[in-house]
Amino acid sequence: MSTTVFGSDGKKLTLGMMLGKGGEGTVYHIHEAGDLAVKIYNPGKASERKAKILAMTSAALHKTTDIVAFPIDTVSDKNGTFMGFSMKKVAGFKNIHELYGPGSRRTEFPSADARFLVRSAFNLANAFAAIHNTGCVVGDVNHSGILVSNQAMVTLIDSDSFQFNKGPEVYRCTVGVPDYTPPELRGADFEKMVRTANHDNFGLAVLIFQLLFLGRHPFAGKHLGLGDIDIPTAIGDHRFAYSARRAETRMEPPPLTPALSDFGNEVSDAFESAFSKNGDRPGGRPNAASWVQILGKLEQGLVECSADKSHAYFRGGASCPWCRLEKSMGRSLFAAKISSTVSTLNIGDLIALINRPAPPSQPPAPESIIAVPSLTRSPAAAAASHGKQLTLFASVAGLLIGFFLANQLNGFWGTALVIASIIMMIRARRPAEEFRVELQAATAAWEEKKKIWEEHAGPAVFLKRKSHYLSLASAHAKLPEQERERLLELERKKRDLQFRSHMQGHLISRAKIGGIGQSRTVTLSSFGFDSAWDVKTRSVLAVPGIGPKKADALANWSSSVEKKFVFNSHIATNPQAINEVKTDIARQRADLEGELRRAPDELKELLDTASDLRRNPPPQLVEAYVRLKQVQMDIG
């Protein structure tokens, strides 16, 4: 192929090094213009694209936005045959999946933190909004055409595949990736389909989800019915794996993933809307401009984690979800940013403050401080007492008559009357059943309230909390030694660390594995399988769609990667492993110090509470005691 092409104005352009190659053509650097690149179509493809590129260049789309590498000018060979187009050269950007995948992010975006992901999602939505404002539709939404810079800026390439209207003529987008294609277009003939911005909005929502949810696909989850469901099928059936409508979707998310609630109701509702059946209707999904607003609010309201500054989370969240996930996973999701690995708390002074206040003394008997109001028998008790008196009178009369009969007339019937009268007398002296039950209940309630009061009014609760804080202080004091031991352990396990780093550096997304295409790769990533290390250390059979045959293919690939490992004793301990240890120690220190700082105030509050409980017995305690005394009086 000639290394020289010509612009529409006849200006010569010399092709330089190849910048990229795809299914339709190859992109080259231009010697005469360092900020431009040229895409040369493969043989047979140029004639198909000529009319569309002419229409796009004549519309000067490249002047409407800097976010998209739109065609600037057509290029031809020396005979005037159309070959391709020139466009803005995109330099310093990387594919978006290198950012949202935790494995690749570790190497390609090592400084990216949680806030960076939200900013990238915001800029992605902004890019789609700009494209839709030109009247174009992306159509073939997928990760390969979207690039991100180290400043979280987003740009789109492959704009020549966009759907574009020029007058009555519609230049369609004739391709699509199933994992980003909306349900209503499943099985559609893209050669004949006119796409809409609402179709794009589905793929946009998927990409935003992947950025926020560690590369997880929103439709990759565990099917709660019979058999596994692949991502395209789940999309077609509206089975959003993270939806609150679990009874309807019959799906649940993979383990070790963020929850929708971690990002607040507005973000959660937007995803539910984008992936619901209502989203299939025209205008049914949040559009790009709406996502700009939603993500802008999320970004402005992010709270920085006190334990790790690389963590930022929704202001309304109860705690940092990234800390929760990292603790469960046993590894860092971002390059930690700890402000200092040195303690900012004087533990000696704090322990002195904890030990300074004396605990409360043993409390007095609560009965001695409760003023019981004047009590009288309840009407029910009075009625029962009157009945008892009548029964006792009758039983005494029966005794007398029984003795008379036994001695003077009939010994058998007299004795029987005496026995019956004695039984009546015993029963009359016992409390009625309902009063016995009430006494048991009142006694149990009083003992419970009394115990709680004695614990808080006395030393028990105070001493328990004091002991807790002293144990935290002890754990804090042991952190430096714990850090030294763990760093020494890293040195002793240098070979293991090098091996792990080697395996983690080989990503499934970059490998050619039989039977593992793009959709399977996305599913594997959604279940936390990104690298050869993941395949080696965990069973992939739990991943939907991965049977024994595919599992063997993955295992064989992992084994081949393992065989390439060569230990080098002269290489220093992996800095990332060292940083992970220091990060974990710093996080523990921050957590301990955050709790320890509350100790003096809490202990003082417990002392004040104990004093107040003695002066002013709580209503619940008083009510329980009065109830008990009332029942005792009723029983007599």
Side-chain angles (χ1 to χ4, degrees), residues 244-285:
R245 301 174 287 104
R246 192 161 299 178
E248 178 184 336
T249 64
R250 302 287 293 157
M251 294 282 280
E252 65 179 22
L256 303 177
T257 55
L260 278 182
S261 58
D262 290 331
F263 297 92
N265 290 338
E266 195 166 4
V267 172
S268 175
D269 291 345
F271 281 129
E272 291 278 17
S273 176
F275 302 138
S276 70
K277 291 181 181 179
N278 289 335
D280 298 0
R281 299 181 303 186
R285 300 183 178 99

Side-chain angles (χ1 to χ4, degrees), residues 47 53 65 73 78 88 128 182 188 213 226 231 338 344 350 366 427 430 450 482 509 520 534 580 607 610:
S47 58
I53 300 304
T65 177
D73 191 15
K78 62 182 179 180
K88 178 187 72 171
F128 270 71
F213 283 74
L226 296 175
I231 291 175
I338 306 299
T344 59
L350 183 64
R427 288 183 174 178
R430 290 170 56 190
K450 178 182 177 181
Q482 188 182 131
S509 61
R520 296 291 183 216
D534 299 320
E580 285 182 358
L607 285 173

Side-chain angles (χ1 to χ4, degrees), residues 3-5 11-17 28-33:
T3 59
T4 302
V5 294
K11 186 177 179 179
K12 184 173 75 171
L13 303 172
T14 306
L15 304 183
M17 65 176 183
Y28 296 93
H29 168 74
I30 299 177
H31 285 301
E32 290 81 3

Side-chain angles (χ1 to χ4, degrees), residues 594-614:
E595 191 168 354
L596 282 167
R597 291 180 195 279
R598 297 194 292 269
D601 288 340
E602 183 184 346
L603 294 178
K604 181 180 182 303
E605 184 178 341
L606 289 174
L607 285 173
D608 292 342
T609 298
S611 177
D612 184 61
L613 286 173
R614 297 180 189 214

Side-chain angles (χ1 to χ4, degrees), residues 128 132 137 139 141 178-186 193-208 218-219 232 234-240 245 266-292 294:
F128 270 71
H132 292 163
V137 174
V141 178
D179 290 356
Y180 298 88
T181 300
E184 64 270 28
L185 295 187
R186 183 167 62 166
M193 173 63 62
V194 176
R195 314 244 193 137
T196 68
N198 194 52
H199 296 149
D200 275 2
N201 294 336
F202 178 84
L204 171 62
V206 171
L207 286 164
I208 291 172
F219 289 85
I235 290 174
D237 295 342
H238 302 91
R239 296 182 187 272
F240 175 32
R245 301 174 287 104
E266 195 166 4
V267 172
S268 175
D269 291 345
F271 281 129
E272 291 278 17
S273 176
F275 302 138
S276 70
K277 291 181 181 179
N278 289 335
D280 298 0
R281 299 181 303 186
R285 300 183 178 99
N287 61 25
S290 296
W291 277 112
V292 169
I294 293 167

Side-chain angles (χ1 to χ4, degrees), residues 546-569:
I546 303 297
K549 186 175 180 180
K550 291 184 175 63
D552 286 344
L554 286 161
N556 291 336
W557 166 72
S558 179
S559 296
S560 70
V561 172
E562 183 175 350
K563 291 174 182 176
K564 297 175 184 176
F565 171 69
V566 178
F567 173 60
N568 188 338
S569 61

